[in-house]
Structure formats: structure tokens, C-alpha cells
Amino acid sequence: MSRVLLTLNAGSSSVKFAVFEGDTGSTEPVIFGKIAGIGNAPIFSARDKNGAPLDKGMLETLEVSADHDQVIARLLPWLETHHGQGALAAVGHRVVHGGRDFTAPERISDKVLQKLETLAPLAPLHQPHNIASIRAVANWKPDLPQIACFDTSFHRDQMRPAKRFALPRSLTDEGIIRYGFHGLSYDHIASVLPEHLGKQADARIIIAHLGNGASMCAMKDRKSQATTMGFTALDGLMMGRRCGTLDPGVVLYLMQSKGMQAAEIEKLLYKKSGLLGVSGLTNDMQVLQNSDDPHAKDAIELYCYRAASGLAGLVPSIGGLDAVVFTAGIGENSALVRRQICDQLGWLGVTLDDAANTRNEVVISTAASKVKVLVIPTNEELVVAKACRNFLS
Ligand code: AMP
């Protein structure tokens, strides 16, 4: 009997899932979908391999406040009856933080799970939900192999200075270092770069993963040399709800002069800042782009300035720039954001082809541009599926 693999990617209020064939190298999922809005009337959507929509009633009778555990407990048996392709052989999870211990995919055991729990405070928006998904699968089928694939792993090769803070050595030794995230997305882009760039795939390339979470990674030889996120996924670029790089003196001020507690500051920096905080409207870039509110424009301007600055800050790690790749929800779809970022990078040799950019083509730089600019869709699920296949074989 043929086997299938399930990938789960649990975010702060969503779970993305995909079922892949286990015994072939197929890159197309048999089923893929998403449950969005978890905690506040979740919405289910799924499609089969032909793109046909599947059973919308899956979440009926579930409380609107159902949490990740309850939603996943409902999803798992539904998937088993719907994929119809063979026995479920393994489940792969995107896990945001692997700390210093996990630099490659890992079979989950009680011991591994305990370690992952100790890392939860470093990724409070994601890690608890990643762990909840793992537990939900274990409760459903305790013997089913589960594989964790870490967003931090891809950055294990970062150059030494890019990994460190200028803090006392004892803190560095304790593990207070710049880990970096979005590694599964960067791994996927690195794997498809040769299709688009040939030998130049190994040159000096910066990938801009611009989604609700956002970061950039500078690569040489398709390996991470430096990235904008650090110890936590709060650092670096401005994001949907996260502030990105912030003078640590602001945090001290909020504590000492405004009497704010750690939990309040955490909420402010992770959930109330970024596009949402600056616009006062929403974290959703598409909505901001369509808004006439001057604060929406202001938020987009700051977002693009911070992105261009973040990109420029990565250039020393690779000694120049040959190509830029935009990916994830905003990077793949927003011609406006790509234009505003690239306009600030002309001095690096970036020249955008406006028509190609508006049409979301793969190559959006002019033929004369010194730096090639591309738009490539990310596929974190496929990276997890490949890790599961390696495990099965
Ligand atoms: P992700 O986290 O990768 O799913 O990306 C989510 C972000 O992509 C949200 O801010 C969306 O508004 C944004 N996005 C998706 N489609 C578009 C679009 N056509 N134009 C602008 N932003 C978009």
C-alpha cells in the first residue's frame, strides 16, 4: 500500500496543512489547506490536487473560541478520511525555534519535546502552537512518527560576527546569540535558485521573505551568511504586528518610566506594533494598500524604508550583491512594496522593470540592472515533506 505524509505549519492564529505522496518525489500535495482565525471563529479551506475545493463543513459544531488543540484534533481524522491515497506514514512539523541543539530535522521524542518547550519563551507567537500540534498528533496516534523541521537550522552556517551580540562573552556562551528564522522558506528558495539563475545561484544573493512575519537572509553558495532576525523572531524588519529592530533603551524606558510589566511589553512589541501599530488600522498589507488613510501610507513607507535598510545592512556579510529574491505573501504579491523597496536600492545597482513588476513576473529587474531581482513563491510545506521522505527512506 502506498504511503502519505502530512505537514503541519502552526502559526499564531492559523494552521496550514498539506498531504504529500510518501513514496514518490512528487512536489504537488494531494490535499492542501488552511484553518485561519483560530481562537476567533476559525475558517477552513482545503483543495485537492486538481484545485477542487473540499468539504467546507469540516469545522461545523466547533466552538468559535476553539483553540489549536481542538482544531487540529478535528482536522486529523478528517484528513485521514479525505486523502484516500494510502496509509499516513509520518507527520512533519514546522517548528520555529530549535535553539543550539537542533540544527537538522529531528524525530520527535518526549526528550525532544521537553527541549522544545524550554525554547517557547523565545518564540511566544509560534513555538507553543507548534508544540500543541505535535501533542495533538501524539494523542491521536501515539506511534505515528513525527519529525520537527526547524526555522533556525538553515542559519547554522552564518558567519561568526553575524551570529553574535556585543554582549559580555558569558551571555554569548549561554546561548544568547542571533539564531535567525524563516529557515524553511530560505531552504526552499535556495533549492530552486539554480532553475532561475543557473551558476549564478551560488553568487551573492539576498532573499526577502515578506509575509506577516518578515526577514531577509544573505546567502553565498546558497548558504546563510547573515539574517535580519536574531535571538527571537522580533528583531530586524518591521512586520505585520511586530516592531522589528528597536533601541533596547525603549524597553528600559517603558519599564522604568512608564511602569510597564514584561507581559505588557511583550504584547506591545509582538502584537500591537508593526503595520498594525503604525497605521492604527490593520496588519494586512493588502488592505493598507487599498486605503486612503494617510496613516496607511505612513505605515507602508516605514515598512519599505526599514526593509531597504535591512537589506543594505546584510550586504557586508556577502561582500556585494548579485540578486534579490522577493517571496511570501507581500513579497510575492505586492508590486507597490517591491517598487518602494527597490527605489531605495538604486545605488546598489538595482533597476526595476515596472511592467514586469506590476505583472508579478519571475524576473522583475531590467536587462541592464546590475542586480537581478526575482519573485519566487516559497513552499515551506515541501521542505518539511522532503525531510519526512528522507526519514522514511
Ligand atoms: P503570509 O504571512 O506570507 O501569508 O503573507 C500575508 C501578507 O501578505 C498580508 O499582509 C497580506 O495582506 C499580504 N498580501 C497577500 N496578497 C497580497 C496582495 N495581492 N497585495 C498586497 N499584499 C498581499
Side-chain angles (χ1 to χ4, degrees), residues 16 34 209-213 240 275 283-287 289 327-335 337 360 378:
K16 290 185 195 159
K34 184 176 180 175
H209 176 108
L210 307 180
N212 244 327
L275 290 172
N283 62 310
D284 190 318
M285 179 61 86
Q286 201 168 4
V287 174
Q289 279 185 201
T327 192
I330 298 171
E332 290 167 32
N333 297 297
S334 174
V337 167
N360 286 328
T378 193

Coordinates of all heavy atoms in Angstrom, one line a residue, residues 16 34 209-213 240 275 283-287 289 327-335 337 360 378, ligand 1:
K16 N -1.5 25.7 8.6 CA -1.5 25.3 7.2 C -1.2 23.8 7.2 O -0.4 23.3 8.0 CB -0.4 26.0 6.5 CG -0.7 27.5 6.3 CD 0.3 28.1 5.4 CE 0.3 29.6 5.5 NZ 1.5 30.3 5.1
K34 N -5.8 25.3 4.8 CA -5.5 26.2 6.0 C -6.7 26.4 6.8 O -7.8 26.4 6.4 CB -5.1 27.6 5.4 CG -4.7 28.6 6.3 CD -4.2 29.9 5.6 CE -3.8 30.9 6.6 NZ -3.2 32.1 6.0
H209 N 12.0 37.5 2.6 CA 10.7 36.8 3.0 C 9.8 37.8 3.7 O 10.0 38.2 4.8 CB 11.1 35.7 3.9 CG 9.8 34.9 4.4 ND1 9.5 33.7 4.0 CD2 8.8 35.3 5.3 CE1 8.3 33.3 4.5 NE2 7.9 34.3 5.4
L210 N 8.9 38.4 2.9 CA 8.0 39.4 3.4 C 6.6 38.9 3.5 O 5.8 38.9 2.5 CB 8.0 40.6 2.5 CG 9.4 41.2 2.2 CD1 9.3 42.4 1.2 CD2 10.2 41.6 3.5
G211 N 6.2 38.4 4.7 CA 4.8 37.9 4.9 C 4.4 38.7 6.1 O 4.8 39.8 6.4
N212 N 3.4 38.0 6.9 CA 3.1 38.6 8.2 C 4.3 38.8 9.1 O 4.5 39.8 9.7 CB 2.0 37.7 8.8 CG 0.7 38.5 8.9 OD1 0.7 39.7 9.1 ND2 -0.4 37.8 8.8
G213 N 5.1 37.7 9.1 CA 6.4 37.8 9.7 C 7.3 38.1 8.5 O 7.0 37.8 7.4
G240 N 4.0 42.6 10.3 CA 2.6 42.9 10.4 C 2.2 43.5 11.7 O 1.5 44.5 11.8
L275 N 2.9 47.1 11.1 CA 2.0 47.8 10.3 C 0.7 48.1 11.0 O 0.2 49.2 10.9 CB 1.6 46.8 9.1 CG 2.6 46.5 8.0 CD1 2.2 45.4 7.1 CD2 3.0 47.8 7.3
N283 N -3.0 44.9 10.3 CA -1.7 44.4 9.9 C -1.6 43.9 8.5 O -0.6 43.3 8.0 CB -1.3 43.2 10.9 CG -2.3 42.0 10.7 OD1 -3.5 42.3 10.8 ND2 -1.8 40.8 10.5
D284 N -2.7 44.0 7.8 CA -2.9 43.4 6.5 C -2.4 44.3 5.4 O -3.0 45.4 5.1 CB -4.4 43.0 6.3 CG -4.6 42.2 5.0 OD1 -4.0 42.5 4.0 OD2 -5.4 41.2 5.1
M285 N -1.3 44.0 4.7 CA -0.7 44.9 3.7 C -1.7 45.2 2.6 O -1.8 46.3 2.1 CB 0.6 44.3 3.2 CG 1.3 45.1 2.2 SD 1.8 46.8 2.8 CE 3.4 46.4 3.5
Q286 N -2.4 44.2 2.1 CA -3.3 44.4 1.0 C -4.4 45.4 1.3 O -4.7 46.3 0.5 CB -4.0 43.1 0.7 CG -4.5 43.0 -0.7 CD -4.9 41.6 -1.2 OE1 -4.8 40.7 -0.4 NE2 -5.3 41.5 -2.4
V287 N -4.9 45.4 2.6 CA -5.9 46.3 3.0 C -5.3 47.7 3.1 O -5.9 48.7 2.6 CB -6.5 45.9 4.4 CG1 -7.5 47.0 4.9 CG2 -7.2 44.6 4.2
Q289 N -2.8 48.9 1.4 CA -2.5 49.4 0.1 C -3.8 50.0 -0.6 O -3.7 50.9 -1.4 CB -2.1 48.3 -0.8 CG -0.6 48.0 -0.7 CD -0.1 46.9 -1.7 OE1 0.9 46.3 -1.4 NE2 -0.8 46.7 -2.8
T327 N 9.9 37.0 -1.7 CA 9.0 35.8 -1.5 C 8.0 36.1 -0.4 O 8.1 37.1 0.3 CB 9.8 34.5 -1.3 OG1 8.9 33.4 -1.4 CG2 10.5 34.5 0.1
A328 N 7.1 35.1 -0.1 CA 6.0 35.2 0.9 C 4.9 36.2 0.5 O 5.0 36.9 -0.5 CB 6.5 35.5 2.3
G329 N 3.8 36.2 1.3 CA 2.6 36.9 0.9 C 2.8 38.3 0.3 O 2.3 38.6 -0.8
I330 N 3.6 39.2 1.0 CA 3.8 40.5 0.5 C 4.8 40.5 -0.7 O 4.6 41.1 -1.7 CB 4.2 41.5 1.6 CG1 3.1 41.5 2.7 CG2 4.6 42.8 1.1 CD1 3.5 42.2 4.0
G331 N 5.9 39.8 -0.4 CA 7.0 39.7 -1.4 C 6.5 39.2 -2.8 O 6.9 39.6 -3.8
E332 N 5.6 38.2 -2.7 CA 5.1 37.6 -4.0 C 4.1 38.4 -4.7 O 3.9 38.2 -5.9 CB 4.6 36.2 -3.7 CG 5.6 35.2 -3.3 CD 5.1 33.9 -2.7 OE1 3.9 33.5 -3.1 OE2 5.7 33.3 -1.8
N333 N 3.3 39.2 -3.9 CA 2.1 39.8 -4.5 C 2.1 41.3 -4.5 O 1.3 41.9 -5.3 CB 0.9 39.4 -3.7 CG 0.7 37.9 -3.8 OD1 0.4 37.4 -4.8 ND2 0.8 37.2 -2.6
S334 N 2.9 42.0 -3.8 CA 2.8 43.5 -3.7 C 3.8 44.2 -4.6 O 5.0 44.4 -4.2 CB 2.9 44.0 -2.3 OG 2.9 45.4 -2.3
A335 N 3.4 44.5 -5.8 CA 4.3 45.3 -6.7 C 4.6 46.6 -6.1 O 5.8 47.1 -6.2 CB 3.6 45.5 -8.0
V337 N 5.1 47.4 -2.8 CA 6.1 47.3 -1.8 C 7.5 47.0 -2.5 O 8.5 47.6 -2.1 CB 5.8 46.2 -0.8 CG1 6.9 45.8 0.1 CG2 4.6 46.7 0.1
N360 N 3.8 40.8 -11.7 CA 4.3 39.8 -10.8 C 5.1 38.7 -11.6 O 5.0 37.5 -11.3 CB 3.2 39.0 -10.1 CG 2.6 39.9 -9.0 OD1 3.3 40.7 -8.4 ND2 1.3 39.7 -8.8
T378 N 7.4 30.9 -2.1 CA 8.0 30.0 -1.2 C 7.2 28.7 -1.0 O 6.0 28.7 -1.5 CB 8.2 30.7 0.2 OG1 9.1 29.9 1.0 CG2 6.9 31.0 0.9
Ligands
AMP1 P1 1.9 35.5 4.5 O1 2.2 35.6 6.0 O2 3.1 35.0 3.8 O3 0.7 34.7 4.2 O4 1.6 36.9 4.0 C1 0.5 37.7 4.5 C2 0.6 39.1 4.0 O5 0.6 39.1 2.5 C3 -0.6 40.0 4.4 O6 -0.1 41.3 4.9 C4 -1.3 40.2 3.1 O7 -2.0 41.4 3.0 C5 -0.2 40.2 2.1 N1 -0.7 40.0 0.7 C6 -1.2 38.9 0.2 N2 -1.7 39.1 -1.1 C7 -1.4 40.4 -1.3 C8 -1.5 41.3 -2.5 N3 -2.1 40.9 -3.6 N4 -1.1 42.6 -2.4 C9 -0.5 43.0 -1.2 N5 -0.3 42.3 -0.1 C10 -0.7 41.0 -0.2

